[in-house]
Amino acid sequence: MSVTAAQGFEASGVVAGLKSTGKPDVALVVNRGRRAAVAGVFTSNRAKAHPVIWSQQVVADGDARAVVLNSGGANCFTGPFGFQTTHLTAETVAEALDIGAGDVVVCSTGLIGVGDQTFRDKVIAGSQSAVVELSPTGGTAAATAIMTTDTHAKEAVVQGDGWVVGGMAKGAGMLAPGLATMLVVLTTDADVPAAKLHSALRSATHVTFDRLDSDGCMSTNDTVVLLASGESGITPDDDAFTRAVTALCADLAEQLQGDAEGASHDITIEVVGAVSEDEAVEVGRSLARSNLLMAAVFGNDPNWGRVLAAIGTTSAQFDPYDVDVSFNGVRLCAKGAPDRPVTDCDMSPRALRILLDLHAGPATATILTNDLTHDYVHENSAYSS
């Protein structure tokens, strides 16, 4: 039930006609609980969609009751009409729920530049229908409605000590870090104030969604929002709550990685022996964004030379001739030189782990990514057609 696993939440997913497939495309999550705390993390892309601009204002006071989401159109770069559409969407949901429009987070996903009167009419009508269809078991319907090129709904639940955190996510392309990397709604029935929600969410996204770098392309609409109903009546220890939120985000991030458009390998890049965590992240990201390395992985070629070439472009402190590189547990490079034949490494499994030891310090970081495939290029060459 994902977002409705926590007490006090209802959700729905309905067909509004935004998708040509006739599949659900408007979702709604509502907090009916005693508390209406919220925290949000948004794209750091300077090119922000209208729903992001609106929702940043909504979460600023730490209170929100609902999140309405549509797929089938990003409502980005649609001018004043687009922002008015976002505002009207919030007002429509607010009126139906008898709450203020300033307590409604709005999220959109899909093609940039879509935002005419037809789009508006369908979003508004869909939002009205979503209110009618709200249900304590509507989590999966909501998770299905926010899908775009996703092949399946993405949901997760983590049980606390008498409280729960649940969530749903969408994303299969344009996955790159910027505080958040897709549309994600998280809910909890723990009794947690907004400030602590914000702290836990920032901590969680920093080591999960921020480390998912599937194709190096940052979206204009990325949003992660966490709602707390307080219905369990339990206020968990701060560390325990942060661990639960982090585990939930990690689960959803891995689901997103596994559904990346056209990918044939799910790649975990583990950097150890770095001087600092930031440098470990920089090094790991340089591998994730190396088209040459990702193409080699697609071809089942453990080309560790491309690893060294990529990390040499970073500002991280290390000696390139003191670096070890392993693919799936087989060390192919030791101290910047061949260690054993590349034929010793089996690249055929979908899961691939690249371990890079810089031998420069105590810090580590892990980046999740995917290979570069023909299917990915095809999917994104015809996305708007």
Side-chain angles (χ1 to χ4, degrees), residues 69-87:
L69 314 93
N70 77 268
S71 55
N75 193 12
C76 178
F77 293 122
T78 49
F81 181 88
F83 188 79
Q84 292 164 7
T85 299
T86 297
H87 193 172

Side-chain angles (χ1 to χ4, degrees), residues 21-379:
T21 59
K23 294 181 179 180
D25 44 26
V26 172
L28 180 62
V29 179
V30 175
N31 179 359
R32 304 282 197 184
R34 68 185 77 180
R35 183 184 284 278
V38 66
V41 181
F42 302 90
T43 182
S44 60
N45 195 328
R46 291 168 55 203
K48 291 178 172 59
H50 297 305
V52 170
I53 296 170
W54 168 268
S55 297
Q56 285 178 313
Q57 297 171 353
V58 169
V59 304
D61 66 357
D63 292 320
R65 279 286 177 188
V67 183
V68 58
L69 314 93
N70 77 268
S71 55
N75 193 12
C76 178
F77 293 122
T78 49
F81 181 88
F83 188 79
Q84 292 164 7
T85 299
T86 297
H87 193 172
L88 183 58
T89 302
E91 288 181 332
T92 298
V93 172
E95 182 178 1
L97 295 174
D98 194 25
I99 60 176
D103 288 332
V104 180
V105 174
V106 180
C107 302
S108 298
T109 181
L111 188 64
I112 292 173
V114 173
D116 58 12
Q117 186 64 48
T118 299
F119 172 84
R120 174 187 282 183
D121 291 344
K122 290 179 177 179
V123 170
I124 297 306
S127 299
Q128 292 169 332
S129 297
V131 173
V132 174
E133 296 297 323
L134 282 169
S135 166
T137 59
T140 296
T144 301
I146 62 175
M147 292 166 51
T148 50
T149 55
D150 306 65
T151 63
H152 60 272
K154 300 167 180 69
E155 305 173 271
V157 175
V158 174
Q159 296 285 340
D161 186 8
W163 48 273
V164 172
V165 287
M168 67 179 187
K170 67 78 50 184
M174 291 189 79
L175 298 180
L179 303 181
T181 48
M182 70 296 296
L183 297 188
V184 179
V185 178
L186 311 175
T187 59
T188 183
D189 52 18
D191 192 6
V192 180
K196 291 186 177 181
L197 286 183
H198 180 78
S199 176
L201 186 61
R202 286 284 183 176
S203 178
T205 57
H206 178 65
V207 295
T208 57
F209 297 132
D210 268 3
R211 306 285 173 86
L212 175 60
D213 200 336
S214 182
D215 55 17
C217 297
M218 186 190 301
S219 173
T220 55
N221 292 60
D222 301 334
T223 300
V224 177
V225 61
L226 172 58
L227 304 167
S229 70
E231 282 299 290
S232 71
I234 299 172
T235 300
D237 172 79
D238 290 353
D239 290 341
F241 184 69
T242 298
R243 285 195 300 270
V245 175
T246 301
L248 182 68
C249 291
D251 188 330
L252 292 170
E254 289 176 3
Q255 291 186 52
L256 293 169
Q257 178 196 24
D259 198 28
E261 293 165 341
S264 64
H265 287 84
D266 299 330
I267 307 166
T268 301
I269 301 170
E270 184 180 1
V271 180
V272 301
V275 170
S276 68
E277 183 181 358
D278 286 345
E279 291 195 1
V281 170
E282 180 186 3
V283 168
R285 206 168 318 281
S286 73
L287 301 187
R289 295 185 176 184
S290 169
N291 286 340
L292 279 176
L293 177 59
M294 295 303 105
V297 172
F298 171 58
N300 289 333
D301 176 13
N303 194 327
W304 58 267
R306 292 181 179 178
V307 171
L308 296 184
I311 68 175
T313 66
T314 70
S315 61
Q317 304 169 70
F318 62 88
D319 180 354
Y321 291 93
D322 192 26
V323 171
D324 299 341
V325 182
S326 300
F327 280 61
N328 277 348
V330 179
R331 192 175 68 180
L332 301 176
C333 166
K335 293 188 178 298
D339 189 39
R340 67 190 71 188
V342 295
T343 53
D344 287 356
C345 179
D346 181 10
M347 293 274 287
S348 59
R350 183 178 178 94
L352 171 64
R353 191 170 195 90
I354 299 176
L355 174 63
L356 181 63
D357 192 341
L358 301 179
H359 293 291
T364 68
T366 299
I367 301 293
L368 304 180
T369 191
N370 309 91
D371 55 350
L372 179 60
T373 69
H374 301 304
D375 288 343
Y376 174 84
V377 174
H378 175 74
E379 175 75 33

